[in-house]
Amino acid sequence: MSLKILKFESKLARIVLIIAALLCIAAAWFSIKWNFANAISSRIDPALPESSLVADWLTEIAPSDPQTHYTSALLLEKTFDSSDLTRSLREYELTAALSPHNYVMWLNLGKARSQNGDPAGAEGAYRRALELAPNYSAVQWVYGNSLLRRGETDEGFAMIARSAASSPEYSRTAVTTALQIFDGDLIQVRRVLGDDEVTNAALVTALAGGQRFDDALEAWSKFDAEDKLGKFNKLGETLAGQMAEAKKYQLAAHVAADIRAIEAEKPVVGQVGNGGFENGVKRRSAGVFEWQIAEGGEPQIGLSEEQKRSGNYALFMLFNSFDTASFRVVSQIVAVVPGAEYEFQVFYRSDLKTSAILKWEIVDAATTAPIASTPTMALSGDWTSLKAKFIVPPGGDGVVIRLVREGCTGLTCPMTGKAAFDDFSMRRL
């Protein structure tokens, strides 16, 4: 490969070449400084006491880099010196000026102006960010809140509603804010945020959290039946659980019914759910109105096809224990009408050998106070009925039916044998 030597005959050509070389060296130098300052500024640990000094030095070697000014602004903002807050604002101003088309820089500037007592200037910065990124929910959210702080309620909530519609994570805070501003008035909340599913989903959560369960149910009722079974199913489970925890069992049963696709699995007020055990039982994570079986090894509990009275299954228990503490409770919560009279019935068969007393008890779900109980179970090779009539206390709308054992006063309580239960029912008298 042959080398070619360029010869510059004229003095002017040599000067041009020297100038070009110097310009290249200068450009390379400034590029190196810029990249070095940019890289260092993004890695400064603000916890270090010398971090602000480093930031100042970086802004000196790269005065046209918005990143170095942004880092300096952040660091100065975190100190407790009032003069640093002013310097921080100046750095934010420089950052926005050096990066005029970056909406994030304008958002930061707006926040800094607001902290420095300049709400009008903050709104101007937020408005510029909105012009640069009109469809970004974060920008709409910040700008909407700035309008609220200036007393422009409808305009602010209109912007916040746009933000929540595109990013539902904002909806809960939006609803909470609206409830506070309008003193809990749902008509006004829906007027400014809309009456769509995003707003109503957030209302369900906020209202339930505030113990406004009737209003939460009203918001829940606005969803389509298909959506209750689908995308809002988890929300419904949470709502039903909150209602039950607050002893609002009729409301909880209403919601729990909405999130069950199979008709036989829907809880009904005044009726024992799955009384024939045709839908199976869950050993763990049972729903509020499903059969609850306590943890433990005694007695052994399961479903039996051989011991059934009707349908396909019965609840079967095998006892072989001597320890008093070994007794697993079986129970179910039933929503009922306050003050109403009901009759509870269950069929059983048993060959248990024990001195203990077994019976089914009805207690107030809110207070756990006993209301009524069936007669004691006796030895019975044929299916035998146990019944109990009871009146629901006026202040409660839920009862618990449960198998209880009595007569075990010592450390030991021998129980051996089998028992089966089927066809639980309740009817209003």
Side-chain angles (χ1 to χ4, degrees):
M1 180 178 178
S2 60
L3 297 176
K4 293 183 180 180
I5 299 175
L6 299 177
K7 294 183 178 180
F8 296 90
E9 301 296 339
S10 68
K11 184 177 181 180
L12 179 60
R14 291 191 184 95
I15 293 174
V16 170
L17 180 61
I18 293 171
I19 292 173
L22 291 174
L23 289 174
C24 289
I25 293 172
W29 168 245
F30 283 115
S31 177
I32 292 171
K33 284 205 308 178
W34 182 298
N35 290 322
F36 171 77
N38 190 285
I40 295 299
S41 64
S42 62
R43 291 170 172 79
I44 295 178
D45 184 356
L48 296 176
E50 64 273 14
S51 59
S52 59
L53 295 176
V54 176
D56 288 343
W57 175 65
L58 291 176
T59 57
E60 291 178 5
I61 66 173
S64 298
D65 182 7
Q67 179 62 44
T68 59
H69 289 284
Y70 175 64
T71 301
S72 179
L74 283 176
L75 294 172
L76 291 168
E77 191 178 48
K78 297 181 187 306
T79 70
F80 295 99
D81 191 335
S82 59
S83 63
D84 282 347
L85 197 59
T86 303
R87 290 178 59 201
S88 174
L89 175 60
R90 187 164 59 249
E91 293 296 331
Y92 277 123
E93 298 276 6
L94 284 170
T95 301
L98 292 169
S99 187
H101 301 294
N102 187 336
Y103 78 93
V104 175
M105 300 307 180
W106 287 100
L107 286 180
N108 292 326
L109 176 57
K111 177 183 175 183
R113 286 175 173 174
S114 179
Q115 291 177 337
N116 278 269
D118 182 13
E123 185 180 340
Y126 294 144
R127 189 183 303 111
R128 176 56 181 158
L130 186 66
E131 292 172 356
L132 294 170
N135 298 317
Y136 281 30
S137 58
V139 179
Q140 295 164 348
W141 177 259
V142 172
Y143 184 50
N145 277 278
S146 74
L147 292 174
L148 288 184
R149 287 191 292 271
R150 287 174 59 82
E152 300 176 34
T153 305
D154 285 0
E155 296 83 354
F157 274 119
M159 191 62 62
I160 287 173
R162 286 175 56 190
S163 174
S166 57
S167 296
E169 64 268 20
Y170 290 120
S171 60
R172 186 179 302 181
T173 305
V175 161
T176 301
T177 302
L179 285 170
Q180 291 174 344
I181 288 179
F182 295 112
D183 197 23
D185 188 335
L186 297 182
I187 295 176
Q188 293 299 320
V189 171
R190 289 192 172 102
R191 179 182 67 82
V192 295
L193 292 179
D195 195 9
D196 54 25
E197 64 179 28
V198 173
T199 298
N200 282 306
L203 277 171
V204 167
T205 300
L207 293 169
Q211 302 287 297
R212 295 175 59 178
F213 292 110
D214 289 316
D215 290 330
L217 180 62
E218 187 265 341
W220 167 261
S221 68
K222 289 179 174 289
F223 301 137
D224 293 335
E226 184 176 341
D227 289 337
K228 291 175 181 177
L229 295 173
K231 60 184 176 180
F232 295 125
N233 189 269
K234 186 65 176 177
L235 177 63
E237 285 186 7
T238 302
L239 178 60
Q242 290 174 308
M243 288 173 165
E245 187 176 354
K247 318 304 181 186
K248 303 290 185 180
Y249 294 106
Q250 287 196 67
L251 298 181
H254 185 105
V255 176
D258 286 343
I259 60 177
R260 297 287 182 265
I262 300 173
E263 193 66 29
E265 295 180 353
K266 297 177 182 290
V268 178
V269 174
Q271 294 184 19
V272 178
N274 192 21
F277 302 98
E278 301 306 300
N279 300 322
V281 291
K282 297 177 181 176
R283 297 187 182 276
R284 296 179 181 85
S285 303
V288 173
F289 299 102
E290 296 179 319
W291 286 109
Q292 308 282 332
I293 300 177
E295 295 286 340
E298 290 291 339
Q300 298 179 47
I301 302 175
L303 298 184
S304 171
E305 293 181 277
E306 290 76 21
Q307 299 290 333
K308 64 189 178 184
R309 176 177 180 269
S310 65
N312 296 313
Y313 302 102
L315 187 69
F316 181 74
M317 297 184 180
L318 178 62
F319 293 82
N320 186 23
S321 65
F322 294 89
D323 187 357
T324 299
S326 298
F327 184 75
R328 300 167 69 187
V329 176
V330 177
S331 64
Q332 184 183 129
I333 295 176
V334 181
V336 289
V337 176
E341 184 177 9
Y342 292 91
E343 182 181 62
F344 166 74
Q345 183 178 36
V346 59
F347 289 85
Y348 81 98
R349 58 194 303 181
S350 168
D351 64 1
L352 280 177
K353 297 179 178 62
T354 180
S355 60
I357 294 173
L358 286 182
K359 59 184 178 180
W360 287 88
E361 186 177 54
I362 297 92
V363 303
D364 187 329
T367 65
T368 69
I371 301 173
S373 64
T374 67
T376 302
M377 288 172 51
L379 290 173
S380 177
D382 295 325
W383 286 101
T384 304
S385 171
L386 292 173
K387 295 182 179 180
K389 293 181 180 180
F390 64 94
I391 297 176
V392 181
D397 67 349
V399 297
V400 179
I401 57 174
R402 64 187 184 187
L403 181 64
V404 296
R405 182 188 62 179
E406 297 177 353
C408 296
T409 57
L411 296 176
T412 61
C413 186
M415 298 185 72
T416 59
K418 303 181 292 293
F421 301 93
D422 203 358
D423 296 333
F424 288 78
S425 65
M426 275 175 52
R427 65 185 182 93
R428 185 171 179 178
L429 301 178

